[in-house]
Amino acid sequence: MKMFYAVLFTLAFFLGSSTRRSDAQDVTEVISRDLYETMFKHRNRFYSYDAFVAAARSFNGFGTTGDFITRKRELAAFFGQTSHETT
């Protein structure tokens, strides 16, 4: 059942946003605060959007390399895996 939710979550993220920028310099251009808050309504408040952005920025190229679809897929895979592993 966890795998089902991880796949569903990943698909929802991948299909959700309509931003089409091809020159993203930061994960904030791929996932907005509102989308993050919507996707993680029941998370521990320790895992805030600001904490996610700070962590993502510490890994050069994470969510910022390639075209928009590639960046979105990378974040969807990350969120799908972390959701599957944590709840």
Side-chain angles (χ1 to χ4, degrees):
M1 190 57 109
K2 277 179 142 182
M3 181 57 87
F4 171 76
Y5 286 115
V7 170
L8 185 64
F9 177 78
T10 302
L11 287 173
F13 173 70
F14 183 68
L15 298 173
S17 177
S18 61
T19 306
R20 297 282 180 210
R21 294 198 51 184
S22 62
D23 60 340
Q25 299 297 313
D26 196 79
V27 293
T28 59
E29 296 177 25
V30 179
I31 182 168
S32 68
R33 181 180 302 273
D34 290 340
L35 180 57
Y36 184 90
E37 298 294 337
T38 300
M39 290 186 340
F40 300 108
K41 289 180 187 178
H42 305 292
R43 73 183 186 283
N44 179 319
R45 291 296 169 197
F46 175 79
Y47 300 105
S48 68
Y49 177 75
D50 294 327
F52 164 71
V53 169
R57 287 176 179 164
S58 70
F59 292 92
N60 188 24
F62 176 72
T64 60
T65 304
D67 63 12
F68 180 76
I69 297 298
T70 301
R71 292 190 308 270
K72 203 169 183 183
R73 284 181 180 157
E74 182 175 16
L75 290 176
F78 171 77
F79 289 135
Q81 179 63 30
T82 55
S83 293
H84 171 70
E85 294 297 329
T86 59
T87 295

